[in-house]
Amino acid sequence: MCGIVGVVSSKEINEKLFNGLSNLEYRGYDSVGMCFINNKNFKIKKGVGKLEEVHKKVNFLRLQGNVGIGHCRWSTHGGVTKKNAHPHVDCKNKISVVHNGIIENYSELKDELIRQGHKFYSQTDTEVIAHLIEDNLKDSRIEDAVKLALNKIEGSYALGILFADAPEKLFAARNESPLIIGVGGNENFIASDVPSILSYTNKIIYLEDKEIAVLTKDKVKIFDLNGVNKNKKIHAINWSAEAAQKSGYKHFMLKEIYEQPRAIADTLNERIRNSDVVFEKEFNLKNDFLRKISRIVVVACGTSWHAALVGKFMLEELAKIPTEVEYASEFRYRHPLLDNNTLFIAISQSGETADTIAALKEAKKYGVKTLSICNVMGSSITRISDGVIYTRAGPEIGVASTKAFTTQLAVLYLLTILLAKLRKTLNEKQVKVMIEGIRKIPLQLQSVLDEDYEILKCADLYYHKLNSIYLGRGVNFPIALEGALKLKEVSYIHAEGYPAAEMKHGPIALIDKNMPVVVIAPHDIYTYKKVLGNIEEVKARGGIIIAIATDNDDNIPKKSKHTIFIPKTLYTLSSILAVVPLQLLAYHIADKLGYDVDKPRNLSKTVTVE
Ligand code: AGP
C-alpha cells in the first residue's frame, strides 16, 4: 500500500519525482507529499487527496533541488489528514522519512521516545522512525544511526530517508515491503516498483529484506543491518516505458483489458514446442519430482485466488493431481499438513502481497518444493520460491486486475499440460487438442473484445442498479466470483458470485425484476443443460438475465434478456474467454457512474500489509 519514490541527481529532479509519484498513485491515493533539500533545509509540501488535486493547491513542481523523496498514502495508522500525510520529520526538522509498511512496535517505541522528550505531531507509525533515528544520531554517524534505529523496529517497511545535513545523499531500506533501486547516469532512484521509474532507467537493483542503501548521484552502497557490505547484481528490465502508459485509452483498466490477446500470446511464446510445454530455467523443478507429486496446495489472494480455483479444476480434471486452494491470509496462520510430495504454488500478480509472501515462507518451513506464478520479475515471491513461471502480462497499473488474471490462467493451463504429459494422464492426441485450443485463444479473445459495444449497451441499461448476481458452474464458478469482484471493486455495486445450482439454497430469494443476473453458460458436456435450468429459475422470478454463451447457441438467447457470445473452445479454456465480457461490463458501469476506475476508493494495487 502507499507508494514511495526518491531521486538523487546532478540535475533538477522535480519532474522526475512528480512523474514517478504519479506512476505510483495506484498504490495509495488518500494523501500525497514531497520533500526536497535546499541549502541544508527541507522544503516539504503535502496534502489530502489525489496527486493532481493536491498539486493544484500546492504546486509540487515549484519545489526545486537535486535530492528529494515523495509518497502517496493508503492510510493504516492515523486518519486521512494533512498532518498524517508523509513525509514525516523529527523534532528538529532535520530527518525526513517516507514509509510503506507497518511498524508493529511503534506504540512502545513512541512511548519511550516521548519519555525522552521527543514531541510527536501525527498519529502515524512512520513518525516514530524519524524520531528514533534522531535519537540514535546523538551518539552516532548518520549511517550507524539508521542501522541502530532499524534494528529496534519490528514490522514491515520500505523507506526513503533524507538528512538535511547530508544533502547529497538519499537513504533507503526495506523489510517485507517492496523497494527497488534504479541506477541511472549521474542519478539514482528508489521506488516501490519498476514501472514508475522506467522512463529514466531500466537498470534495477532489488533491495532485500533488512538491507540499507545509501545513494548519491553516482554511487549506490548497500549494507545489511549488521553493517556488512553487499555486492548486488544490476538487472536490466525489458519492459518498455510505453507499456506503463495509457496509450490513448481513457483508463489503464480498459487498456489492460484490450491488451489481453497480446498478453496471452506473449505468455505462450516459446513455451509450446510441437506438443511439449517447456518453461524457462527459472522453473527449476525436476521431472522426477513432478512425476511423484501426490498433492498440490495453491495460495493466493483476491483475483489471483480466483485463478487458483480455475487452476484446481484444470489440475484435477486433466493432470489428476488432488489440488487444494487456500487464501494466503488463512494458510499463514494454520499448521498445514505438507510433505515432500506436495508442490506448493503461490500466485500473485505483484509478487509483493504480504499474506502471499508470508504463506510461502510458512510453507518453506515444512521443506516442500515451492513454485510461484508471478507477473513482476524479481519481486519478493519469485526470490523466495524454488521455481518461478512468469506471466508476461507486462506492467498492470489499473487496481482491478485483468490481464494478469487471464495470463495466470494461461500459465496454469500450460502447467497442467506439462504435468499431464509427465504423468501420462492424457494421451498424445488429447495433449495436441489442448495445445491447439490455447494457441487459438489470442485471436478468440480479440473477437470477444469486438463485442464490446453489446456490453456497453448492458452497462447503459443497468449502471444504476444497486445489486447483482453472477452465476457459473465448474470451471466457470470462479469466473462468476471474479466477475462479481470486478464489479464491486470499480463500481461499488454490491455483487455476489455463486455456483449456479447453489442459488436455490438461499440467494434466489434476492431475485426480482430489479436484479441483473449474469450467467456464464458456455456450451459444454458437463453442466450446460443444468445451467439452462438455472437460467429458467431466474427468469421465472423476473431476474434480468445477461448470459455469456458460446457462438451459435440458439437456446440461451431465447431465455435471456441479453446474450454476449464467446467463441467455441475447450471447456477449461472457456474461463479465459468468459471473464473478458465481465471485465468490460464492470469497467463500463464504473465509467458511466463517473468513478475513477483506475483508483477505486479504499483499494490499493498491492496489499503489502496484513
Ligand atoms: C484484483 O482486482 C484486486 N485488486 C486484488 O484482489 C488482487 O488480485 C489481490 O490483492 C492479489 O494481488 P496479487 O495478485 O498482486 O498478489
Side-chain angles (χ1 to χ4, degrees):
M1 330 297 283
C2 304
I4 70 173
V5 63
V7 191
V8 49
S9 175
S10 56
K11 291 172 248 145
E12 179 53 57
I13 62 156
N14 60 7
E15 275 191 19
K16 286 175 184 156
L17 201 67
F18 187 85
N19 292 341
L21 202 51
S22 149
N23 293 336
L24 283 171
E25 242 200 322
Y26 69 88
R27 300 177 66 88
Y29 30 85
D30 51 40
S31 42
V32 63
M34 284 186 196
C35 172
F36 281 58
I37 308 179
N38 281 155
N39 300 324
K40 295 202 168 186
N41 281 311
F42 289 143
K43 293 276 177 249
I44 294 180
K45 291 190 180 206
K46 55 178 164 174
V48 169
K50 293 180 178 155
L51 178 64
E52 271 307 325
E53 292 159 7
V54 181
H55 178 51
K56 267 190 203 138
K57 286 188 215 148
V58 305
N59 196 348
F60 283 117
L61 292 173
R62 281 228 186 100
L63 288 168
Q64 289 195 324
N66 298 10
V67 189
I69 49 179
H71 184 272
C72 46
R73 181 167 187 242
W74 185 88
S75 55
T76 56
H77 291 63
V80 181
T81 62
K82 187 173 174 187
K83 270 204 172 128
N84 288 335
H86 298 214
H88 286 290
V89 294
D90 64 321
C91 300
K92 299 191 204 86
N93 203 22
K94 290 284 181 189
I95 304 165
S96 175
V97 179
V98 288
H99 169 220
N100 169 34
I102 292 179
I103 306 304
E104 282 162 10
N105 59 340
Y106 89 98
S107 177
E108 299 93 289
L109 291 170
K110 187 171 177 177
D111 290 348
E112 179 56 32
L113 287 160
I114 289 171
R115 273 196 291 279
Q116 289 172 25
H118 288 262
K119 299 264 180 299
F120 282 76
Y121 58 86
S122 78
Q123 289 91 47
T124 64
D125 51 341
T126 305
E127 195 189 338
V128 160
I129 303 169
H131 292 279
L132 195 59
I133 297 174
E134 177 185 28
D135 211 57
N136 283 287
L137 257 184
K138 283 189 226 147
D139 315 304
S140 319
R141 294 179 315 123
I142 291 180
E143 281 181 19
D144 292 331
V146 173
K147 201 173 64 195
L148 288 167
L150 294 185
N151 271 304
K152 289 181 191 147
I153 282 174
E154 289 163 20
S156 56
Y157 53 79
L159 296 170
I161 311 167
L162 295 180
F163 291 86
D165 293 332
E168 73 295 350
K169 287 183 178 164
L170 163 60
F171 285 72
R174 79 158 266 175
N175 188 46
E176 295 178 2
S177 288
L179 192 66
I180 54 107
I181 293 170
V183 181
N186 251 330
E187 58 189 2
N188 290 309
F189 301 80
I190 60 167
S192 298
D193 74 12
V194 174
S196 60
I197 55 164
L198 259 182
S199 316
Y200 308 116
T201 181
N202 70 338
K203 289 190 208 138
I204 302 298
I205 298 173
Y206 293 102
L207 212 55
E208 302 288 337
D209 285 350
K210 300 192 167 37
E211 284 183 348
I212 300 169
V214 186
L215 288 72
T216 54
K217 64 181 171 25
D218 41 24
K219 209 169 149 204
V220 178
K221 175 178 155 191
I222 298 175
F223 49 95
D224 66 17
L225 290 192
N226 299 317
V228 177
N229 284 335
K230 297 289 185 94
N231 262 332
K232 307 281 290 188
K233 191 173 164 200
I234 301 179
H235 299 259
I237 301 298
N238 59 10
W239 283 355
S240 68
E242 295 71 49
Q245 307 301 321
K246 275 191 236 163
S247 321
Y249 285 90
K250 187 170 177 191
H251 294 101
F252 277 111
M253 182 179 176
L254 188 62
K255 176 193 172 226
E256 288 160 5
I257 292 172
Y258 270 80
E259 276 178 336
Q260 289 177 106
R262 195 272 312 145
I264 302 274
D266 283 357
T267 299
L268 302 180
N269 191 26
E270 292 190 8
R271 286 172 167 168
I272 298 174
R273 311 230 177 110
N274 300 317
S275 66
D276 282 327
V277 167
V278 185
F279 291 120
E280 306 67 50
K281 64 173 185 343
E282 308 93 296
F283 178 59
N284 210 19
L285 298 176
K286 301 268 179 301
N287 285 351
D288 281 350
F289 167 70
L290 297 172
R291 275 192 202 98
K292 67 171 201 223
I293 294 168
S294 58
R295 177 169 162 248
I296 296 177
V297 174
V298 195
V299 300
C301 301
T303 287
S304 297
W305 185 78
H306 296 155
L309 291 178
V310 176
K312 170 185 164 74
F313 191 94
M314 294 174 178
L315 290 160
E316 293 194 335
E317 182 77 9
L318 303 164
K320 308 290 177 206
I321 307 175
T323 302
E324 290 153 43
V325 174
E326 289 218 39
Y327 286 117
S329 53
E330 290 299 315
F331 179 91
R332 64 182 291 188
Y333 290 115
R334 295 204 300 108
H335 298 287
L337 302 173
L338 300 171
D339 64 27
N340 290 343
N341 293 331
T342 306
L343 171 64
F344 180 91
I345 303 179
I347 307 180
S348 172
Q349 186 285 129
S350 61
E352 301 293 351
T353 299
D355 284 324
T356 309
I357 295 171
L360 182 58
K361 287 184 177 164
E362 182 65 24
K364 282 188 80 86
K365 287 189 198 153
Y366 292 78
V368 292
K369 281 266 180 288
T370 55
L371 174 71
S372 57
I373 296 175
C374 188
N375 194 40
V376 179
M377 197 183 143
S379 57
S380 296
I381 71 162
T382 67
R383 282 177 286 138
I384 300 169
S385 48
D386 299 307
V388 186
I389 310 175
Y390 283 105
T391 49
R392 297 178 186 144
E396 190 180 68
I397 312 289
V399 166
S401 186
T402 52
K403 61 178 179 171
F405 178 69
T406 45
T407 54
Q408 286 165 351
L409 299 192
V411 161
L412 287 161
Y413 186 84
L414 292 181
L415 180 64
T416 303
I417 298 177
L418 178 85
L419 292 169
K421 274 200 85 167
L422 282 172
R423 302 161 71 95
K424 301 195 189 331
T425 54
L426 293 177
N427 61 35
E428 282 299 325
K429 200 171 151 209
Q430 290 168 313
V431 168
K432 210 167 152 231
V433 171
M434 284 188 72
I435 284 180
E436 277 166 13
I438 187 92
R439 276 205 165 119
K440 287 187 196 146
I441 289 292
L443 265 182
Q444 292 182 320
L445 274 175
Q446 192 53 56
S447 69
V448 178
L449 292 167
D450 293 343
E451 289 224 42
D452 197 2
Y453 64 96
E454 286 293 343
I455 301 160
L456 190 56
K457 274 193 228 158
C458 293
D460 269 337
L461 289 168
Y462 306 121
Y463 72 94
H464 54 277
K465 297 286 180 197
L466 300 177
N467 295 290
S468 60
I469 290 179
Y470 286 68
L471 303 176
R473 296 186 78 148
V475 75
N476 286 311
F477 161 53
I479 300 304
L481 296 178
E482 176 60 10
L485 177 64
K486 286 289 88 85
L487 189 70
K488 276 185 268 207
E489 275 187 298
V490 295
S491 74
Y492 321 140
I493 293 173
H494 177 234
E496 295 292 341
Y498 290 102
E502 186 62 21
M503 179 188 61
K504 287 192 281 295
H505 301 280
I508 199 164
L510 297 169
I511 293 173
D512 63 13
K513 64 180 176 20
N514 277 317
M515 179 69 87
V517 181
V518 179
V519 189
I520 303 140
H523 206 287
D524 65 67
I525 52 162
Y526 296 79
T527 51
Y528 172 72
K529 289 203 174 126
K530 305 287 171 200
V531 178
L532 284 184
N534 301 138
I535 291 179
E536 291 288 2
E537 290 156 9
V538 175
K539 197 176 169 201
R541 285 151 186 91
I544 307 159
I545 298 160
I546 303 170
I548 312 295
T550 307
D551 277 345
N552 301 320
D553 185 320
D554 301 330
N555 293 318
I556 303 242
K558 287 181 204 147
K559 299 174 194 292
S560 313
K561 183 105 196 240
H562 308 273
T563 308
I564 313 292
F565 288 103
I566 59 171
K568 188 170 174 6
T569 182
L570 299 176
Y571 180 53
T572 36
L573 289 174
S574 62
S575 54
I576 300 187
L577 299 180
V579 76
V580 175
L582 310 189
Q583 297 167 343
L584 284 166
L585 185 64
Y587 169 78
H588 288 309
I589 288 179
D591 188 38
K592 292 214 134 303
L593 289 167
Y595 294 137
D596 190 346
V597 180
D598 288 330
K599 298 181 201 112
R601 71 182 180 208
N602 304 340
L603 296 182
S604 167
K605 178 73 182 159
T606 311
V607 184
T608 54
V609 294
E610 256 194 89

